[in-house]
Amino acid sequence: MALIGLWWLLSNFYPPYILPSPGSVIARLIAEVAKGPLLEHLAVTAGESLLGLLLGASLALPFGYLLARSDWLEKAVSPYLVAAQAIPTVALAPLIIIWFGFGLISKVLVASMVAFFPICMNMIAGMRRVGRNQYDLMRIFGASTWQIFAKLELPTALPVLLTGLRMGMAFSVIGAVVGEFASSDRGLGYLVNVSAGMMDTALMFVALITLAILGISFHLLFRLVEYLLRGRF
Amino acid sequence: MRTKGTSMEQHGSHGAPWPQGAQQAQAAQGSQTAVFCQGVTVSFTGVHNELQNIDLTIHPGESVALVGPSGCGKSTLLRVIAGLLEPDAGTAEVFGSDGSPSERGIGFVFQEATLFPWLNALENVAMPLELQKYLSAADCREHARAALKDVGLLQWAEKYPRELSGGMKQRVALARALVTDSRVLLLDEPFAAIDALRRERFNYELWRLACKRNLTMLVVTHSINEAVSMSHRVVVMAEDPGRIVGEVTVDLPEQRDLATWSSQNFHDACTQVRQILEETGALMHGDTDTSMRCAETETGVHAHAHARN
């Protein structure tokens, strides 16, 4: 509330194209929702983010597991992983678009690239929580490789892994928006780009607020998944 | 030195909830030895021997304590016997089996309870049975309840590890080691993290349980007092390289209680163990953290063997 109050106060000193008032932004938000395209843009970005997370996680989880189980592999691959992470996604996005076109695939790929690293790193950290004695116990119990994974490794890694997935989710939204910045005709990133070009600051605020709502929704969704999964394990 | 791999056994269809190897172990209980080690040598570096030429025989129903200074390879020997570590030379068998850990029919209790925090006490104890997939879930829980009852924790069955004290956690770990009807129990400093007064009670309870179930028990400990109170025989080890330097037969009755610990025989056994350790220099060079001790007990044992720096 204090932030909105400060915003309202400052908006009195600047023209609307620099800083629109909270009231005008809310009015614009309602108008855009009523018109329809805003929800379509939201759906596009949400879809790209979720698909990006899905692709990133489906690559990062087995990759992180293998790295955690093999010191040799981790030593061999880690430098390249860190180097790849050091290249800003904004710089890679145009290349991805040249290679994969302007459609959904390029945005999903950018989102998955950004989501990959935190999920992979947290998978490794989670797996490292399993102690030698716990592995020894499972061997004494006669557990199979699958049982060791399902009954020991996964539950032990889960709290850290879920944090990684939550971070990956937030990062995949950023990746999707970056992809839309680079080249797109739809999505919230596109809306921010277009509104900036038209100096329509109120619309830009609407797009940013919608992005924030999207981020919070994903966060709450993950909290729910965490709660349900922790109950099961 | 090699670490043995994991394998999964297909279990038989007998009435007892054991893996096949454990059934074989039980069938072989009539034979002369429960644990048989011959010429066991382990080297982690290839140059220095962690264990050198260890010969050890433990008979069914016998309790043996392993004492010695830190780094003398007591825990390593336990891991070799459990099948968790393959020796560079020699053999280690449990009831004639030198197969994978699960084939040896052993129960293992670590210094830390190693409970799974997402499972309650009952689920932790039932886990070995559930992994074997031989019994129904209800039967697994029934066996787990019986094991928890044996260690006096039935009323805590639904509690999670975070809700249990250190001593309770160790007793849950003990119940888990017993739930598969293991006939050989390997304990690696099981009560090291528990305060001295409670340790005495746990030693006494563990001894009673071992007698009741006719368990073969091998306990690693740093405490001479504990070693004597929970064993028929104390095997003394020395370091550089890890080797057996002597053993003391404990001449105490099967029915032991806290009063037994103040007996002359108890005192004599402690003194003999201490003398062997002194002869090997363990007491002169041991660090205080892992001191060999035979502290005065509540009941007034007068044997002292505190480490000297």
Side-chain angles (χ1 to χ4, degrees):
Chain A
M1 289 304 289
L3 197 68
I4 292 172
L6 182 69
W7 176 11
W8 174 81
L9 195 69
L10 288 172
S11 67
N12 290 318
F13 298 100
Y14 295 98
Y17 67 89
I18 297 289
L19 187 64
S21 67
S24 66
V25 169
I26 290 165
R28 185 65 182 272
L29 177 67
I30 293 165
E32 291 294 329
V33 170
K35 277 199 290 182
L38 179 66
L39 293 179
E40 286 174 25
H41 290 305
L42 173 65
V44 166
T45 304
E48 290 165 354
S49 305
L50 282 172
L51 287 172
L53 175 73
L54 205 65
L55 181 63
S58 58
L59 294 171
L61 293 177
F63 193 64
Y65 181 81
L66 288 175
L67 290 189
R69 292 303 301 266
S70 166
D71 287 341
W72 175 86
L73 193 63
E74 200 208 348
K75 279 177 190 161
V77 171
S78 282
Y80 301 102
L81 209 59
V82 173
Q85 193 57 27
I87 301 171
T89 316
V90 183
L92 282 175
L95 188 64
I96 300 288
I97 284 164
I98 289 170
W99 285 350
F100 295 96
F102 299 95
L104 176 72
I105 292 174
S106 55
K107 310 322 181 271
V108 171
L109 281 175
V110 174
S112 67
M113 281 168 56
V114 184
F116 179 89
F117 195 75
I119 297 172
C120 183
M121 289 296 117
N122 278 271
M123 182 66 182
I124 294 170
M127 286 287 297
R128 295 262 156 87
R129 286 162 47 111
V130 185
R132 186 183 77 165
N133 288 350
Q134 288 177 314
Y135 277 119
D136 284 346
L137 262 185
M138 296 302 267
R139 290 172 62 195
I140 290 167
F141 297 160
S144 65
T145 305
W146 169 250
Q147 285 176 324
I148 290 173
F149 175 73
K151 300 282 186 181
L152 172 63
E153 291 173 335
L154 186 60
T156 305
L158 199 63
V160 179
L161 186 58
L162 286 172
T163 304
L165 285 169
R166 209 167 59 234
M167 286 167 64
M169 183 76 257
F171 280 38
S172 71
V173 174
I174 295 170
V177 170
V178 166
E180 289 167 359
F181 273 157
S183 176
S184 185
D185 58 358
R186 64 191 72 186
L188 292 172
Y190 161 78
L191 198 61
V192 171
N193 231 358
V194 166
S195 56
M198 295 189 303
M199 295 288 278
D200 189 349
T201 315
L203 182 60
M204 193 190 291
F205 268 76
V206 167
L208 293 173
I209 288 168
T210 312
L211 267 174
I213 291 168
L214 179 65
I216 291 167
S217 304
F218 281 152
H219 178 81
L220 292 176
L221 184 70
F222 258 87
R223 282 284 184 203
L224 180 66
V225 171
E226 267 185 68
Y227 175 76
L228 294 174
L229 281 178
R230 280 182 183 157
R232 286 177 72 91
F233 285 104
Chain B
M1 181 279 300
R2 300 176 297 282
T3 300
K4 287 195 167 180
T6 306
S7 73
M8 184 187 176
E9 288 69 45
Q10 295 301 314
H11 307 315
S13 57
H14 301 281
W18 297 346
Q20 208 167 51
Q23 288 167 8
Q24 288 165 358
Q26 171 69 359
Q29 182 137 2
S31 66
Q32 293 85 357
T33 58
V35 175
F36 176 70
C37 297
Q38 188 173 45
V40 170
T41 300
V42 172
S43 174
F44 290 123
T45 58
V47 180
H48 171 75
N49 281 345
E50 173 87 359
L51 289 176
Q52 184 166 292
N53 207 23
I54 300 285
D55 294 332
L56 177 66
T57 301
I58 304 174
H59 299 288
E62 188 183 19
S63 287
V64 173
L66 273 180
V67 296
S70 286
C72 71
K74 302 183 297 291
S75 298
T76 305
L77 180 58
L78 220 58
R79 287 170 57 78
V80 169
I81 292 168
L84 296 168
L85 194 68
E86 196 169 321
D88 292 287
T91 56
E93 297 173 358
V94 177
F95 282 114
S97 169
D98 64 350
S100 69
S102 59
E103 288 170 337
R104 299 188 181 209
I106 53 151
F108 204 113
V109 179
F110 293 96
Q111 186 174 339
E112 299 292 330
T114 328
L115 300 180
F116 303 112
W118 56 90
L119 301 177
N120 64 29
L122 184 70
E123 291 164 341
N124 264 289
V125 175
M127 188 187 241
L129 298 176
E130 286 173 355
L131 290 173
Q132 289 168 15
K133 292 184 174 176
Y134 173 63
L135 296 174
S136 68
D139 286 343
C140 289
R141 284 174 175 250
E142 203 50 50
H143 279 86
R145 280 184 196 286
L148 278 172
K149 191 179 176 187
D150 271 352
V151 297
L153 283 182
L154 188 56
Q155 69 273 33
W156 299 86
E158 305 300 326
K159 299 288 181 189
Y160 285 84
R162 62 179 176 275
E163 299 172 289
L164 302 173
S165 69
M168 285 174 170
K169 286 180 197 169
Q170 279 305 82
R171 281 152 75 189
V172 173
L174 181 61
R176 185 174 58 184
L178 295 171
V179 76
T180 49
D181 284 346
S182 310
R183 282 295 178 265
V184 175
L185 195 55
L186 305 175
L187 303 107
D188 191 359
E189 298 182 58
F191 305 128
I194 297 169
D195 64 80
L197 290 176
R198 284 191 183 143
R199 272 173 82 150
E200 289 182 359
R201 205 182 77 224
F202 288 143
N203 293 344
Y204 165 63
E205 286 177 1
L206 180 57
W207 174 258
R208 275 206 315 185
L209 197 60
C211 290
K212 181 183 159 192
R213 289 184 166 232
N214 194 31
L215 284 172
T216 307
M217 203 161 65
L218 181 58
V219 190
V220 165
T221 177
H222 278 118
S223 161
I224 296 171
N225 197 1
E226 192 167 84
V228 172
S229 66
M230 284 200 296
S231 70
H232 297 105
R233 187 157 50 104
V234 179
V235 173
V236 184
M237 292 182 70
E239 56 188 333
D240 290 329
R243 64 199 189 280
I244 292 173
V245 289
E247 65 176 56
V248 173
T249 302
V250 178
D251 185 19
L252 290 173
E254 288 291 305
Q255 298 296 320
R256 298 180 191 179
D257 53 27
L258 292 173
T260 313
W261 297 5
S262 58
S263 68
Q264 186 60 41
N265 285 355
F266 184 86
H267 176 210
D268 290 347
C270 287
T271 306
Q272 285 177 53
V273 173
R274 182 182 173 233
Q275 279 171 351
I276 296 172
L277 285 164
E278 277 184 340
E279 283 164 14
T280 59
L283 294 184
M284 298 298 289
H285 304 296
D287 55 277
T288 48
D289 286 344
T290 53
S291 61
M292 305 304 311
R293 56 189 182 271
C294 183
E296 227 172 287
T297 67
E298 277 182 308
T299 47
V301 173
H302 301 298
H304 298 268
H306 284 290
R308 288 170 234 160
N309 286 321

